[in-house]
Amino acid sequence: MEQKKERKNRILYKKQEGSLDFSILLVVTVLCAFGLVMVFSASYYYALHTKGCNYDGYYYLKRQMAYMALAYPLMLVLSKVNYRYIQNLGGAALVISLGLLVAVLAFGKELNGGKRWLELAGVSVQPSEVAKFGLIFYMCGYMSRHRGEMRSFTKGLSPMLLVMGMVCGLIMLQPNMSMAVIVAGIGGILLYLGGIDVRYFLGLAIAGAVLFVILAVAQPYRLARITSFRDPWKDPQGSGYQLIQALYAIGSGGWFGKGLGNSYQKLLYMTYGESDFIFAILCEEFGIVGGIVLILLYTWIVYRGMRISLMCPNKFGSLLAAGISIVFGMQVFINIAVVTGLAPTTGQPLPFISAGGTSLIIFMGAMGILLNISREAQTI
C-alpha cells in the first residue's frame, strides 16, 4: 500500500522538464512596464494636489513600484513550483478566503457605503479579489478528484453550489453585488468545464438571471447604477458624471491620442483615473489605436491560457489554466466595458495597468501558476 502511494506521488509531483510559455512572460512583462508609465502619467497631477498623497506627485508610482517589486519575483517563483501542489491546498485557500470575507465585514474600512477593504500590517487588501482565486483553486481540485461524479446533482453539483453560495453571500453582505455576480459567473463556467449536466447548467443560468433581477430591483441605488450607464446625460453631475468624463477622454484622444502625459481629464476632472478608469486616460493619450493594441495583448494572454488548458494532460491543471484565463479575461472585459459605457459602473481594476497592490500581486501570482502549467502542456 505504501509503495503504491509512493508511486502515485512520484507520478503526481514528477519533475517538470518542459519550457514555459515565453510569449505570456514577455507580454506580461511589457504590460507591467507600460502599467508603471500609465500609473505615473494618470496620477501625477492628482497626487500633487491631494493631501492624502502628501502632495507628492510620485506617490502612486512609488507604491506601484513597491508592489511590482514583490509581484514580479512572485510570478517567477510560482512559474517554477509544480502547480500540482496547489491541488492539496484548495481547502486551505477556501478557508482563508472565507476568513478574510468574514473579517472585512467585522473590521473592514467603510468607503462609499460598503466594507470591501481590510487593513493588514498597514497594507490594504480586498478580500473578494483573494476569494475569486481561492474559490477557483478549491473547485478545480474538487472537480478533478470527483470527475466521475460531476454529472450527479448530489455528489457533484451540490457541494460546489454550497461553496459558491457561501463566497457570493459574504461578498453580497459587504455589499458588493457586482463582484458577487462576477464570482458566480466564474464558478458557473468552471462547473460547465468540469462536466456537469448541461440541463443543470442551463437551469443555473436561468435561476441566476432571475436572482440578479430580484437583487437589482430590491435596492434603488443598484437599479440606478444599472440603468444610468444607458444614458449618463440624464444625471450628468451625479451617477452619470464619471462615465461622461471617461467618454470625453476617449473621444478627445481620437485615433492616435494627444501624446503621453497630455491628458486633460486627469487634471482633477475624472476620479479614479489612475485605477478603475485608467483605460480612458490611456485612450486619451494613445488614442483608439493604443487601446486596441492593449486589448490585443490581453487577448493573446487569454488565448495562450486556454490553449494551455486544452493541451494539459492533467485534469486539475487543465481546469486551473482555464479558470485563471477566464478570470483574467473577464476582468479585462468588464473594466473596458465599464469605461466605454457598455456595462454599469463597477470597481474592477485593469490587470497590470491600474494602480493597486492586491490586484497586481494576485494576478501576477496567477500568471506564474499559468506559466508553470505551460511547462507540462508543451510535453504533449
Side-chain angles (χ1 to χ4, degrees), residues 84-162:
R84 294 167 183 258
Y85 287 103
I86 300 174
Q87 188 168 354
N88 295 327
L89 301 176
L94 180 63
V95 170
I96 292 171
S97 299
L98 293 174
L100 289 173
L101 290 174
V102 171
V104 78
L105 295 176
F107 310 108
K109 179 172 61 177
E110 187 165 346
L111 183 65
N112 298 327
K115 289 186 176 181
R116 303 175 184 178
W117 294 88
L118 193 64
E119 291 285 342
L120 295 175
V123 179
S124 293
V125 177
Q126 190 173 6
S128 57
E129 289 287 344
V130 178
K132 281 193 296 190
F133 285 96
L135 179 65
I136 287 174
F137 293 159
Y138 181 80
M139 290 184 66
C140 291
Y142 183 92
M143 291 189 294
S144 63
R145 289 192 301 269
H146 300 82
R147 66 180 73 181
E149 300 173 343
M150 288 311 298
R151 294 183 66 84
S152 167
F153 182 83
T154 54
K155 296 181 180 180
L157 183 58
S158 293
M160 294 292 90
L161 291 180
L162 178 62

Side-chain angles (χ1 to χ4, degrees), residues 37-38 41-42 258-264 266-267 281 285-286:
V37 173
M38 283 309 307
S41 177
K258 298 174 180 177
L260 179 63
N262 294 327
S263 166
Y264 293 153
K266 68 183 180 185
L267 306 180
I281 303 299
E285 296 187 348
F286 291 94

Side-chain angles (χ1 to χ4, degrees), residues 22-66:
F22 182 75
S23 67
I24 293 180
L25 178 61
L26 177 62
V27 172
V28 170
T29 303
V30 170
L31 287 173
C32 288
F34 184 62
L36 290 176
V37 173
M38 283 309 307
V39 166
F40 175 62
S41 177
S43 68
Y44 179 80
Y45 189 86
Y46 172 77
L48 195 64
H49 294 82
T50 304
K51 183 179 180 180
C53 299
N54 301 318
Y55 305 107
D56 179 5
Y58 296 91
Y59 177 81
Y60 284 102
L61 175 63
K62 288 188 289 188
R63 284 172 59 91
Q64 194 73 358
M65 289 179 68

